[in-house]
Amino acid sequence: VLSGIGGTALMIQSLKLAFIVAPKHFTLVMALANCLVDSSSVVPLGLYRLHVAGLSRGEVFSGYAILCFVLSMCLAYSWCGPPNARLCAANRKERNAAESNEESKRQGVVSTSHPRLHGLSLKEQLYSMEFAFAVVFMMTQVFRSNSYLGIIKEILQDLGDAEIDNFYTQILTILLPASTLLIPAFDVCMKKGGFAVTFLVVSLLGLTWNVVMLIPSLWVQVIGFAAFSNFRGLLFASFFTFIGHSFGNRTFGRINAILWFLTFLLSLLVWPITELSKTWTGDMTFMSIFLLILFVPAFILLLVLAFHLRKHPAGDIAQTVPKTPKAETQNEPRI
């Protein structure tokens, strides 16, 4: 429990870095942070290799705990001074944006200079279209992602992977952090295509690995591994970018806390639905079809989001990543 809470809190804190860099780097920092989180899946493998090399469990985890403590203290120190001052300045800017939005509404003008939700109270943000999309998309897609990780090994076993020393399971493990190599592509996708196009790419990648799961062939599953790795990397990179850009720095942590709690509740259904699939079809066929069905509501709401962003273009990251003038960058404090 402590590991889960601490890990999530550390990740959210790291994502705050995106709010103090130049706006043109916002998507890149979000993509980098999220893909590095995915890449951390290889850390347990490294710890296991140390254990195989002769270190005891106590030595392995004591050393790892010391390393984590030292890195956490360094990270805490790095946020002191100018970085923290920049976060405070971002909060003031969001409050000013909220006041500007209210003034524009009174004049009957739709503001296109900044996202409409910046600076609003948490309650006002929770009643927004953006939050409705975030809830549906996050809950359904993370459920699908967690389900894949939970059942793919059993699917591979049923297809005969155990008879070849779990060769395909090892390929999946190796490919999981591979999305880190495509961080520049993720950055370009968000900057050039915007949220609607990026989430569409995420959906198509999810549809690909979901369909591959239903094909009874081991070598075809490699296509699913590649699609899943990029699906997961782009999903979290684009989603946290959407949350940060739409709701702003002031409520970033609270919005994420609510979303992750709701996602956690839905994820509790992975095990009972898996058992139900075994009872009804004798394998993961029903579960795979159920995951396909979950693709539908997220895709429908994605179309709604696309129309919504046309009405409020400042809410789209592709429309609001300006080139930082040289005069401004010269006056910016160094981090």
Side-chain angles (χ1 to χ4, degrees):
V1 170
L2 290 175
S3 177
I5 295 175
T8 302
L10 184 62
M11 182 180 70
I12 297 300
Q13 180 206 36
S14 299
L15 295 176
K16 283 281 190 174
L17 178 63
F19 294 98
I20 65 172
V21 299
K24 64 179 180 180
H25 298 315
F26 188 87
T27 57
L28 180 61
V29 171
M30 284 292 190
L32 180 61
N34 282 282
C35 288
L36 287 177
V37 170
D38 272 350
S39 298
S40 67
S41 60
V42 303
V43 172
L45 180 60
L47 299 180
Y48 173 72
R49 290 301 174 187
L50 291 175
H51 180 58
V52 171
L55 296 180
S56 67
R57 289 178 179 270
E59 291 172 335
V60 169
F61 286 106
S62 295
Y64 188 53
I66 293 173
L67 176 62
C68 290
F69 177 78
V70 172
L71 291 176
S72 296
M73 292 301 100
C74 291
L75 181 61
Y77 176 76
S78 72
W79 275 101
C80 298
N84 191 53
R86 284 196 172 194
L87 280 181
C88 294
N91 288 342
R92 291 193 295 270
K93 183 178 180 180
E94 289 176 13
R95 284 195 292 269
N96 293 335
E99 295 174 359
S100 176
N101 275 338
E102 289 300 320
E103 182 64 25
S104 297
K105 287 180 181 179
R106 286 193 290 268
Q107 297 177 0
V109 178
V110 178
S111 175
T112 58
S113 59
H114 42 68
R116 67 191 186 94
L117 299 177
H118 278 206
L120 299 182
S121 67
L122 179 63
K123 183 178 179 181
E124 290 175 306
Q125 291 181 341
L126 293 181
Y127 283 98
S128 66
M129 162 59 200
E130 288 85 347
F131 183 74
F133 171 81
V135 168
V136 175
F137 201 85
M138 183 69 166
M139 291 179 67
T140 56
Q141 301 312 300
V142 172
F143 179 87
R144 297 175 75 229
S145 175
N146 291 342
S147 297
Y148 183 85
L149 291 173
I151 69 176
I152 187 59
K153 185 176 181 179
E154 188 165 344
I155 292 176
L156 296 176
Q157 296 289 314
D158 292 340
L159 294 175
D161 192 35
E163 300 172 5
I164 51 177
D165 297 325
N166 296 309
F167 176 73
Y168 285 90
T169 302
Q170 295 179 54
I171 292 179
L172 172 61
T173 304
I174 294 173
L175 287 179
L176 279 178
S179 61
T180 306
L181 301 175
L182 293 180
I183 288 177
F186 295 166
D187 180 43
V188 171
C189 184
M190 286 186 279
K191 285 182 178 178
K192 300 297 184 182
F195 289 127
V197 171
T198 303
F199 285 129
L200 177 61
V201 174
V202 171
S203 300
L204 294 177
L205 287 171
L207 186 63
T208 300
W209 63 253
N210 209 155
V211 171
V212 169
M213 289 173 63
L214 294 167
I215 302 175
S217 172
L218 274 174
W219 70 267
V220 173
Q221 298 305 314
V222 176
I223 300 175
F225 299 162
F228 177 78
S229 174
N230 293 306
F231 161 82
R232 184 175 171 84
L234 186 56
L235 168 65
F236 289 110
S238 58
F239 184 78
F240 282 111
T241 301
F242 175 76
I243 296 299
H245 179 76
S246 299
F247 299 96
N249 172 59
R250 295 176 68 243
T251 57
F252 183 75
R254 285 173 287 174
I255 291 290
N256 274 295
I258 295 172
L259 291 172
W260 278 108
F261 179 72
L262 294 175
T263 302
F264 156 75
L265 293 179
L266 184 61
S267 294
L268 292 176
L269 297 177
V270 172
W271 178 76
I273 297 178
T274 300
E275 293 301 311
L276 187 63
S277 178
K278 293 179 181 178
T279 302
W280 285 2
T281 61
D283 53 21
M284 294 295 110
T285 301
F286 171 78
M287 182 63 168
S288 300
I289 295 175
F290 179 73
L291 295 180
L292 270 177
I293 295 174
L294 286 182
F295 166 83
V296 177
F299 183 74
I300 292 175
L301 208 56
L302 173 57
L303 298 178
V304 176
L305 176 68
F307 285 109
H308 179 77
L309 292 177
R310 285 187 178 184
K311 182 179 180 181
H312 302 281
D316 199 341
I317 194 72
Q319 304 294 329
T320 56
V321 180
K323 293 183 178 180
T324 306
K326 293 183 179 180
E328 292 183 11
T329 56
Q330 291 175 353
N331 296 325
E332 288 184 355
R334 293 182 179 269
I335 299 177

